[in-house]
Amino acid sequence: MAHHQSLQGTGLVALRSPPDQHASATDNAFLLKLRLLCGLDESDLAAIDLLCGERRQLRARVTAVQQGRPSDRVFVVLDGWVCSYRLLADGRRQITRLLVPGDVCNLEALHLPQSGSAIGTLTPCTLAAVSPQALRELAAARRPIADTLAWLAAVDLAGLVERNASLGRRSAREHVAHLLCELLVRLTLVGRAQGNGYAMPLTQEEIADLLGLTSVHVNRVVQALRRDGLIEYGGKELVITQWSALKAAAGFRADYLHLEGMDGSGADFSAAPWTFGAEGSRPADFATG
Amino acid sequence: MAHHQSLQGTGLVALRSPPDQHASATDNAFLLKLRLLCGLDESDLAAIDLLCGERRQLRARVTAVQQGRPSDRVFVVLDGWVCSYRLLADGRRQITRLLVPGDVCNLEALHLPQSGSAIGTLTPCTLAAVSPQALRELAAARRPIADTLAWLAAVDLAGLVERNASLGRRSAREHVAHLLCELLVRLTLVGRAQGNGYAMPLTQEEIADLLGLTSVHVNRVVQALRRDGLIEYGGKELVITQWSALKAAAGFRADYLHLEGMDGSGADFSAAPWTFGAEGSRPADFATG
DNA sequence: CGTTGGGTTGAGATTGGTCAAAATGGGTGG
DNA sequence: CCACCCATTTTGACCAATCTCAACCCAACG
């Protein structure tokens, strides 16, 4: 695993772009996601867009927020991949969330004086740095926005719960497959996937730190998935060649991602690959024995 | 691990107790915790107390909420131990949170139509069943309460993050030790510990499902901790005989529990065992290489 | 008492980790 | 275009942590 010697955030460039382009979905993956999943009206979206004016352009592999630091900004990923992670005293690293465009990195900064985890970039990326103060005030003023933030937090939590289950109870193969499934769904939502494939910029070491494994073992598992014809993966490009088989290998169900949205209306995924196949194979979760 | 065949909640008894005793700290561990950690005034506490009127008395090992069910109640633990867990299709179980008196089981029910995890009792216990609707309205009416709920959710999330790190990157021994440390701190907060010991009602199988291990392995690890003189543990009673050694074995730091409270004032733990010892041994988290 | 749910123990199998080297592959400076 | 460099991936041999299966024990309880 990465015995991480936190790179300093020397690659930081702050700039302020005039938020003239009001709430355009294409330029801000976060707004895109909110539009798809939350029932916010245009004025709410515009108000949020306004708060996203402060942008930070970061190089790959720099830390944006250090573990234990007072968190004075809420970061939203507009482009690139980011992660939040926890470091143990001896350098062992656990990546706790993988954040792709449209995701909020540290919503908890809104209510906690300091973050227990660090935030680091995985690729070059641009983040919106939102003032917690301003966001709290906006939420206090507009109920739909408060609800949206609470919903985002709840979905974040659901993801954490799912990863807990994976870390505790899924085999390495299941876990890797699960990650790949999840990413396809999430990236598709924000238009970062093409069909059954997507750009996969993570190194195997990063995957290992995310899944609680070793990069060597990740490598072997990936090769097995390749050999079994479930995926094609090389040169930072991933294609899921057998979606339903991969899904089965992972025990993947998209429920915990809450794509149905806040109001249950949700985005239209009628043509999405993960809606295909034997969804009737409901897990025997609720067996009454 | 427990290949769990969800027990049906046949042991359910609903009763309504008149909330005449206004906001008394001793009768409601939840209020006690709020009083210690959040800056709520008496009227806010009383309002919350009012919502906790609906009580449920449950036997040990029954499921209070089933996985995937619409969550129409927020449950607060007033007495006994509870857990939320996720079941995989083949019955593997991961306990995702351990809930002791004062804890909220499923705050996310406030904002998510259905819970991805189940809730089950570990001991006989009494829960308050709060109407999400009513709680949302109360929060909308009183800002301090909204802040408190958001804070509780954030702390819950921080705990999940810490468990993620443990599941992914701590050894079985570290993880077990970490659990025992955490429990001492949390139980002390709500007056359920005596000195360095507490009643520990979990079976080793439950501990295993919580830590992502096997009951057999938990057994061996516990024995090793016993042999090394770090703990005394038998007959459902646990005493931590060497707090600082156990803490060291776990790599435990109480930060993520956020005992300093919402406003940073916090409960008074000046005499608490976990504040002793070389806290100067700050982990080299932020090494700059 | 007999049953039952935990706790303990042992032997052996597996998964995943460690260490170290070799292969690959995309940059970069010349 | 080439030589080289670095990060990353891949491989192999071996090891360690943890799991599996199967007893066995024991205290609680009906």
Side-chain angles (χ1 to χ4, degrees):
Chain A
M1 95 205 45
H3 278 242
H4 198 72
Q5 305 296 332
S6 137
L7 310 155
Q8 267 333 300
T10 49
L12 188 153
V13 179
L15 48 139
R16 167 162 284 283
S17 67
D20 39 16
Q21 295 278 41
H22 93 98
S24 109
T26 50
D27 120 280
N28 184 330
F30 183 46
L31 289 181
L32 167 59
K33 202 169 83 169
L34 292 181
R35 198 186 297 277
L36 286 172
L37 299 179
C38 312
L40 294 180
D41 64 28
E42 287 305 316
S43 79
D44 287 334
L45 289 170
I48 290 173
D49 192 32
L50 220 54
L51 290 189
C52 293
E54 185 185 335
R55 302 285 167 91
R56 303 211 182 156
Q57 216 69 46
L58 298 184
R59 288 190 291 104
R61 288 138 206 268
V62 294
T63 95
V65 174
Q66 288 186 160
Q67 190 163 299
R69 276 300 172 73
S71 40
D72 58 352
R73 281 289 179 278
V74 170
F75 290 103
V76 178
V77 183
L78 300 181
D79 204 24
W81 290 33
V82 179
C83 68
S84 78
Y85 58 92
R86 187 119 175 45
L87 291 173
L88 301 190
D90 63 355
R92 280 174 290 178
R93 173 170 81 152
Q94 176 66 41
I95 295 181
T96 52
R97 305 185 185 102
L98 198 50
L99 304 154
V100 299
D103 291 334
V104 182
C105 299
N106 54 345
L107 240 200
E108 65 275 17
L110 235 38
H111 300 283
L112 250 30
Q114 67 195 30
S115 78
S117 25
I119 297 175
T121 64
L122 296 166
T123 69
C125 62
T126 111
L127 306 181
V130 181
S131 149
Q133 182 56 21
L135 190 49
R136 266 196 308 268
E137 276 163 18
L138 182 60
R142 310 209 193 185
R143 181 80 105 82
I145 291 183
D147 287 344
T148 294
L149 293 180
W151 182 80
L152 286 172
V155 172
D156 190 18
L157 191 131
L160 233 13
V161 164
E162 185 71 28
R163 280 188 296 284
N164 248 252
S166 292
L167 285 165
R169 289 305 186 205
R170 285 201 236 258
S171 71
R173 181 185 169 96
E174 289 174 301
H175 203 168
V176 169
H178 197 272
L179 171 66
L180 300 181
C181 288
E182 173 178 323
L183 280 174
L184 177 61
V185 175
R186 288 172 58 194
L187 292 171
T188 299
L189 181 69
V190 289
R192 252 74 172 186
Q194 307 80 44
N196 276 338
Y198 48 87
M200 178 31 161
L202 301 184
T203 67
Q204 295 181 351
E205 173 134 24
E206 286 158 347
I207 296 176
D209 281 349
L210 180 63
L211 307 186
L213 300 170
T214 287
S215 65
V216 173
H217 198 57
V218 167
N219 182 281
R220 298 201 228 262
V221 169
V222 164
Q223 284 178 63
L225 292 175
R226 253 193 307 241
R227 221 179 5 260
D228 297 347
L230 303 187
I231 61 174
E232 279 166 23
Y233 177 26
K236 302 293 175 199
E237 286 295 322
L238 183 113
V239 178
I240 296 178
T241 38
Q242 291 192 230
W243 169 255
S244 58
L246 189 67
K247 209 173 64 159
F252 178 80
R253 305 188 56 213
D255 308 30
Y256 69 100
L257 297 173
H258 292 275
L259 300 174
E260 75 285 358
M262 242 175 85
D263 48 2
S265 72
D268 177 20
F269 288 120
S270 45
W274 58 88
T275 62
F276 297 159
E279 277 299 331
S281 68
R282 221 140 259 264
D285 284 353
F286 318 136
T288 50
Chain B
M1 98 205 44
H3 278 244
H4 198 73
Q5 304 296 331
S6 139
L7 309 155
Q8 267 332 299
T10 48
L12 189 152
V13 179
L15 48 140
R16 166 162 285 281
S17 68
D20 39 16
Q21 295 280 41
H22 93 99
S24 107
T26 50
D27 121 280
N28 184 329
F30 183 46
L31 290 182
L32 167 58
K33 202 169 84 167
L34 292 181
R35 199 185 295 277
L36 285 172
L37 299 179
C38 312
L40 294 179
D41 64 28
E42 287 305 315
S43 78
D44 287 334
L45 289 170
I48 290 173
D49 193 31
L50 221 54
L51 290 189
C52 292
E54 186 184 335
R55 302 286 166 90
R56 303 211 183 155
Q57 214 74 47
L58 298 185
R59 288 189 292 104
R61 289 137 205 269
V62 296
T63 95
V65 174
Q66 287 185 161
Q67 191 162 299
R69 276 301 172 72
S71 41
D72 58 351
R73 281 289 178 277
V74 171
F75 290 103
V76 178
V77 184
L78 299 181
D79 203 25
W81 291 32
V82 178
C83 69
S84 78
Y85 58 91
R86 187 117 176 47
L87 291 173
L88 301 190
D90 62 355
R92 281 173 289 178
R93 174 170 80 152
Q94 176 65 42
I95 295 182
T96 53
R97 305 181 184 106
L98 197 51
L99 304 152
V100 299
D103 292 333
V104 182
C105 299
N106 55 344
L107 240 200
E108 65 275 16
L110 235 38
H111 301 282
L112 251 29
Q114 67 195 29
S115 78
S117 25
I119 296 175
T121 64
L122 297 166
T123 69
C125 62
T126 112
L127 306 181
V130 180
S131 149
Q133 181 57 22
L135 191 49
R136 265 198 307 269
E137 276 163 19
L138 182 59
R142 309 208 194 187
R143 180 80 105 84
I145 290 182
D147 287 343
T148 294
L149 294 179
W151 182 80
L152 286 171
V155 172
D156 189 18
L157 191 131
L160 234 13
V161 164
E162 185 71 27
R163 281 189 295 285
N164 249 250
S166 292
L167 285 164
R169 288 305 185 205
R170 284 200 237 259
S171 70
R173 180 184 168 97
E174 290 174 301
H175 203 170
V176 169
H178 197 273
L179 171 66
L180 300 181
C181 288
E182 172 177 324
L183 280 174
L184 177 61
V185 174
R186 288 172 58 193
L187 291 171
T188 299
L189 181 70
V190 290
R192 255 68 171 189
Q194 308 80 43
N196 277 337
Y198 49 87
M200 177 34 163
L202 301 183
T203 67
Q204 296 183 348
E205 174 135 22
E206 286 158 347
I207 296 176
D209 281 350
L210 180 62
L211 306 186
L213 299 171
T214 288
S215 66
V216 172
H217 198 57
V218 166
N219 182 282
R220 298 201 229 262
V221 169
V222 163
Q223 284 179 62
L225 292 175
R226 254 193 305 241
R227 219 176 9 257
D228 297 346
L230 303 187
I231 61 173
E232 278 166 23
Y233 178 25
K236 302 292 176 202
E237 287 295 320
L238 182 111
V239 178
I240 297 179
T241 38
Q242 293 193 227
W243 169 255
S244 57
L246 189 67
K247 209 174 65 160
F252 178 80
R253 305 188 56 213
D255 309 31
Y256 69 99
L257 296 173
H258 292 275
L259 301 175
E260 74 286 358
M262 242 175 86
D263 48 4
S265 71
D268 177 20
F269 288 121
S270 45
W274 59 87
T275 62
F276 297 160
E279 278 297 331
S281 68
R282 221 139 258 268
D285 285 351
F286 318 136
T288 51

